[in-house]
Amino acid sequence: MKLARRPRRVFAQLLLSQTVVTVGVTAVTAGLFLAPVSSELDHDAMQRALSIAQATATDENIARAAAGRDVVAAQRNAEQIRLATGASFVVVTDLDGIRLSHTDPGRIGQRVSTDPEPALSGRSVTAIQQGTLGRTARGKVPLRMADGRIVGEVSVGISDDSIRRRLLKMLTGILLCAGAGLAAGTLATLLLARRLKRRTHNIALADISALLVEREAMLHGIREGMVALDEHGRIRLANDEAFRLLGLPEDCAGRPIGAVLPPGRLADVLAGRIAGADLPAVRDDRVLVVNRTATPEGGAVVTLRDRTELESLVRELDTTRSLTEALRAQDHEHANRMHTLLGLLELGRHEQAVAFISEQSGSHAVVAARIAEQVQDPHVAALLAGKSAVAGERGVRLALAPAAHLPDAVVDARALVTVLGNLIDNAVDALAAGGGGRVEVSLAAAGPTLLLQVADSGPGVPEELREQVFEEGWSSKDAPAHRPRGLGLAMVRRLVERTGGRIVLDTGPLGGARFTVELPEALLTTQLVEA
């Protein structure tokens, strides 16, 4: 039975190396040099083979020869490249892996001895492999036509003998270097060992590689965004999810947060200018939850969670709750109306009962008909009808301006519903908290540009706060336990500005706040002309 070997610590490994060097085991020292050199030579040979293969694959004549299975043209061009580059072989195959060229013409027409599928599937491959010509360093690339269609592969090999000859030429120099470093290494090893013991926390040497592999797997596997910052606030690394959520450029590494993100709450949270846990922020149309943890070296690690879908569900839940409360109030009001109707019938006042029913049933139909007449887009009309009913149950009157008109020519009804719905919700919430009032919505088309206004009769917004209300996280209302506030107007503004529009807050004719939104290219001009 073989016992598991205890992992060597970095400190112990270096001390052992010092002992070996002290005793003069030059062979071990040379071996330590030769191992990476041999690997590096293999790597260089594979990269050289890959470079030759890539250059060969750009030859349109070879691609056409492979597509047409023209053995003569493929062999001629491949041999020219082989002789010019000094490669051991340059093999061109078709899509079935059948050789169209080879240094041994007798092997043309046979299937290659190694698996051609990785290259035929579009991947470049480097490897040390055993083939018909012996052990070689190989580079394989897909062979493509000008339109990008793969028609075969190009395989280039560098002979193992040439690699070993280079290694032998370097052996003398390596041994001289080993001898020269023998004296200095004895003293330096102990100093370096002590330093590494502190820096690596005395972990096992094999664990360092494992930790790096695990770190890469975790960074790219987790579904949360992660950004690591150095002590100067520059980005050290970011995982795939962070690139997606933040829209980071590919060259963001080494750049400060302010250079890759626009000014705002999100940049302030990532830079540490705003502290706290689970801080909400907005990036384009995404709602993010950000946490920042400082590191002992003075940097920080920032994690980001995408809360967009959850925020949408929470808003739908809030809307459902509001509708439930409205339906409960309507049920209570309906019961009162039924009692009134029953009383009129019991008193024998049938005409008054008929008039009462007609009045009650006609009021909602009149409102819906008026909205449908002025707003021809079905999505916006349905939104206004639903918001009108909910607002009415909360003691707020929601009405369209007399001159309001919206044709059925909206380019992005979903975005318009988001903008208009958020503005109406904010106005209704403000008035319902103060005991009721009036909200007026105005819609107007000016060519392809849509102008909309939402005004209320509430207390309004002080002039010094009219820019602050659009900031992420700012709200005049207490946040409920299930979600943060201060995101609705921030999302509206970003959505409007992303389409090239603008949003302005001032005092309206009803005495309260008035939001004016201009959305260019929001309407289809062809349908406007037909209308």
Side-chain angles (χ1 to χ4, degrees), residues 478-497:
D478 294 333
H482 58 277
R483 72 179 179 95
R485 284 197 178 274
L487 300 176
L489 287 178
M491 291 185 64
V492 167
R493 185 176 197 175
R494 289 181 182 272
L495 185 59
V496 170
E497 292 179 348

Side-chain angles (χ1 to χ4, degrees), residues 33-183:
F33 277 99
L34 287 174
V37 169
S38 177
S39 176
E40 185 65 26
L41 289 175
D42 286 343
H43 177 75
D44 289 345
M46 288 188 291
Q47 292 302 313
R48 181 186 168 204
L50 180 63
S51 299
I52 296 173
Q54 290 172 337
T56 304
T58 62
D59 191 329
E60 296 183 359
N61 294 327
I62 293 180
R64 285 194 295 269
R69 290 179 169 82
D70 186 345
V71 174
V72 175
Q75 174 73 353
R76 181 180 64 253
N77 288 283
E79 283 299 291
Q80 289 176 353
I81 294 174
R82 182 183 69 82
L83 294 174
T85 59
S88 297
F89 64 82
V90 177
V91 174
V92 178
T93 76
D94 60 13
L95 281 174
D96 297 322
I98 304 302
R99 296 188 186 99
L100 301 178
S101 69
H102 197 273
T103 53
D104 181 3
R107 298 186 183 274
I108 296 176
Q110 300 177 4
R111 183 176 173 84
V112 291
S113 58
T114 56
D115 185 14
E117 289 305 320
L120 294 178
S121 62
R123 292 186 288 126
S124 297
V125 179
T126 58
I128 301 293
Q129 293 180 331
Q130 185 74 28
T132 57
L133 297 180
R135 188 173 182 271
T136 54
R138 304 190 180 195
K140 302 179 182 181
V141 298
L143 183 59
R144 303 175 185 270
M145 295 294 290
D147 58 3
R149 177 168 51 90
I150 296 176
V151 296
E153 75 157 342
V154 176
S155 177
V156 175
I158 304 296
S159 171
D160 186 68
D161 293 339
S162 64
I163 299 174
R164 298 307 160 202
R165 284 195 297 271
R166 290 182 60 195
L167 180 61
L168 291 175
K169 290 180 181 178
M170 299 176 66
L171 182 59
T172 303
I174 292 175
L175 292 176
L176 290 175
C177 290
L182 186 61

Side-chain angles (χ1 to χ4, degrees), residues 282 284-287 308 311 315 418-419 422 470 472 487-496:
V282 174
D284 294 333
D285 57 349
R286 295 187 178 279
V287 179
T308 307
E311 184 70 17
R315 288 181 178 274
T418 299
V419 172
N422 272 284
F470 293 105
E472 304 151 26
L487 300 176
L489 287 178
M491 291 185 64
V492 167
R493 185 176 197 175
R494 289 181 182 272
L495 185 59
V496 170

Side-chain angles (χ1 to χ4, degrees), residues 105-444:
R107 298 186 183 274
I108 296 176
Q110 300 177 4
R111 183 176 173 84
V112 291
S113 58
T114 56
D115 185 14
E117 289 305 320
L120 294 178
S121 62
R123 292 186 288 126
S124 297
V125 179
T126 58
I128 301 293
Q129 293 180 331
Q130 185 74 28
T132 57
L133 297 180
R135 188 173 182 271
T136 54
R138 304 190 180 195
K140 302 179 182 181
V141 298
L143 183 59
R144 303 175 185 270
M145 295 294 290
D147 58 3
R149 177 168 51 90
I150 296 176
V151 296
E153 75 157 342
V154 176
S155 177
V156 175
I158 304 296
S159 171
D160 186 68
D161 293 339
S162 64
I163 299 174
R164 298 307 160 202
R165 284 195 297 271
R166 290 182 60 195
L167 180 61
L168 291 175
K169 290 180 181 178
M170 299 176 66
L171 182 59
T172 303
I174 292 175
L175 292 176
L176 290 175
C177 290
L182 186 61
T186 303
L187 176 63
T189 302
L190 181 59
L191 298 177
L192 181 60
R194 291 180 180 275
R195 178 178 177 83
L196 286 178
K197 182 178 180 180
R198 294 192 300 269
R199 297 298 298 270
T200 62
H201 305 284
N202 202 27
I203 63 175
L205 191 62
D207 289 345
I208 296 177
S209 176
L211 287 173
L212 290 175
V213 172
E214 291 170 1
R215 188 196 72 165
E216 290 298 315
M218 287 188 295
L219 282 179
H220 299 289
I222 59 177
R223 298 308 300 164
E224 287 191 1
M226 196 285 296
V227 179
L229 307 173
D230 62 15
E231 64 273 16
H232 302 293
R234 297 187 295 257
I235 297 176
R236 293 180 58 189
L237 59 91
N239 68 350
D240 299 340
E241 188 69 1
F243 273 92
R244 184 181 72 87
L245 295 178
L246 298 178
L248 297 176
E250 292 293 334
D251 59 345
C252 66
R255 300 171 63 184
I257 289 295
V260 297
L261 291 178
R265 177 181 173 84
L266 180 58
D268 291 340
V269 172
L270 265 66
R273 292 187 286 270
I274 298 178
D278 292 334
L279 296 174
V282 174
R283 174 63 168 164
D284 294 333
D285 57 349
R286 295 187 178 279
V287 179
L288 307 177
V289 175
V290 185
N291 284 283
R292 189 178 192 274
T293 303
T295 60
E297 293 79 11
V301 175
V302 181
T303 59
L304 309 112
R305 297 197 308 273
D306 190 353
R307 192 187 164 99
T308 307
E309 294 183 2
L310 180 59
E311 184 70 17
S312 176
L313 291 175
V314 170
R315 288 181 178 274
E316 290 183 10
L317 176 61
D318 287 345
T319 301
T320 303
R321 287 178 175 173
S322 299
L323 289 174
T324 302
E325 293 173 0
L327 289 174
R328 188 180 295 112
Q330 285 183 349
D331 181 65
H332 185 269
E333 183 181 354
H334 180 68
N336 291 334
R337 291 170 181 170
M338 293 303 294
H339 294 156
T340 302
L341 178 61
L342 179 61
L344 291 173
L345 293 175
E346 288 179 347
L347 293 174
R349 298 185 176 183
H350 302 99
E351 294 181 0
Q352 289 89 337
V354 172
F356 180 77
I357 294 174
S358 300
E359 178 184 354
Q360 296 302 321
S361 63
S363 58
H364 296 293
V366 170
V367 172
R370 186 181 300 117
I371 291 176
E373 181 180 352
Q374 293 181 264
V375 179
Q376 297 172 4
D377 183 87
H379 302 89
V380 180
L383 172 73
L384 291 172
K387 296 293 184 184
S388 176
V390 173
E393 297 303 332
R394 300 181 65 184
V396 178
R397 185 187 173 202
L398 174 63
L400 277 171
H405 177 69
L406 178 66
D408 187 9
V410 178
V411 174
D412 189 353
R414 179 180 178 182
L416 179 57
V417 165
T418 299
V419 172
L420 187 57
N422 272 284
L423 296 179
I424 292 175
D425 286 344
N426 284 341
V428 171
D429 288 345
L431 294 178
R438 174 184 171 87
V439 177
E440 185 175 87
V441 178
S442 176
L443 298 163

Side-chain angles (χ1 to χ4, degrees), residues 453-456 460 504-509 512-516:
Q453 290 183 344
V454 177
D456 61 64
V504 178
L505 170 59
D506 59 5
T507 300
R514 176 177 63 180
F515 289 89
T516 302

